[in-house]
Amino acid sequence: PCCRPCLCRRLWPSECDLCRSEGDSAMDVAAGDEITRSDSALRANIKEKGANSYYYAHAKPPEIPAHAKVVSGPGLITGGPPELISRDESIDKPAGKPRITVTKFSWLDDGDKVKIYVEEPNFLVAAEGDLRVTFDTNEFCVEAEGADRIFVLQVEALSHSIVPEDCKHAIKKGKRLTVTLKKKVGSTKWYDLKKKS
């Protein structure tokens, strides 16, 4: 038996009625010659079995009447080469560094101050390069820009107000970043870092 698939691509030639009926000429076509529409197994099956053919729906090629109106315009597909619909400028620009939110940190109410500790190794490596810390009356933000990404620790809606001018940060190389927040009312005990929603 032949080891090439049959023309209808479902059976081996020895098992396929279409391929057996076309004999060696069908095998030559399967070996790489161009198949014309009239020589295909589909057309041969339609020719042999007519309306009882498995491929009956393909019997007649689609016909477009001469009086048919072809409507084209934006949003309509009428065939032909692809058309550019729109171009998003942000896709063409190279993407910036991804921003990674730091979620692992600890904090401590320390009398008239609140201290936040970050010990994440990747964050600390980035913090040794470019570190930006900003304070506002009810929030703070720490950004550490590394070679391939930016780490961000941002706490919005602190549970109590702070004094931005008296807040500071310090980094112990390879160990931790400490952010010190000065409480506006030093005697207020903080039970939560953030306000509850």
Side-chain angles (χ1 to χ4, degrees):
C2 179
C3 59
R4 291 178 292 203
C6 74
L7 295 177
C8 67
R9 303 197 190 285
R10 291 187 301 159
L11 303 168
W12 292 105
S14 59
E15 301 167 349
C16 176
D17 293 333
L18 294 175
C19 294
R20 253 197 316 250
S21 66
E22 295 197 11
D24 292 335
S25 63
M27 300 318 292
D28 293 339
V29 171
D33 296 340
E34 188 71 35
I35 297 176
T36 61
R37 282 190 160 275
S38 61
D39 294 342
S40 72
L42 181 140
R43 294 288 167 213
N45 184 270
I46 292 170
K47 185 176 180 183
E48 179 185 336
K49 298 182 180 171
N52 295 326
S53 169
Y54 176 80
Y55 304 102
Y56 179 73
H58 301 281
K60 292 196 299 186
E63 294 179 16
I64 300 174
H67 65 279
K69 181 179 178 183
V70 177
V71 179
S72 62
L76 298 176
I77 300 171
T78 57
E83 294 181 25
L84 178 64
I85 296 172
S86 68
R87 181 179 302 272
D88 187 355
E89 296 301 323
S90 64
I91 292 174
D92 294 340
K93 295 177 186 173
K97 295 178 184 177
R99 296 174 66 86
I100 310 296
T101 303
V102 176
T103 56
K104 292 185 178 182
F105 60 91
S106 56
W107 69 279
L108 166 72
D109 184 331
D110 189 23
D112 63 342
K113 300 178 184 110
V114 173
K115 294 186 177 180
I116 293 98
Y117 303 104
V118 182
E119 297 177 344
E120 213 246 87
N122 292 327
F123 175 86
L124 294 174
V125 169
E128 290 174 12
D130 185 13
L131 182 69
R132 295 179 297 277
V133 184
T134 56
F135 301 99
D136 201 352
T137 55
N138 287 318
E139 65 182 294
F140 74 93
C141 180
V142 180
E143 289 187 0
E145 186 168 349
D148 59 346
R149 52 194 163 175
I150 300 171
F151 294 91
V152 180
L153 168 61
Q154 184 167 11
V155 179
E156 299 176 321
L158 291 167
S159 62
H160 299 284
S161 296
I162 60 174
V163 181
E165 309 82 50
D166 295 336
C167 296
K168 57 187 177 181
H169 70 280
I171 188 163
K172 286 188 182 177
K173 191 172 182 177
K175 292 203 172 206
R176 85 170 59 97
L177 167 77
T178 304
V179 178
T180 305
L181 307 176
K182 174 73 171 161
K183 294 179 183 178
K184 188 169 187 177
V185 179
S187 61
T188 305
K189 185 82 171 155
W190 286 31
Y191 295 101
D192 294 299
L193 186 61
K194 297 180 182 182
K195 281 185 182 172
K196 292 183 179 178
S197 303

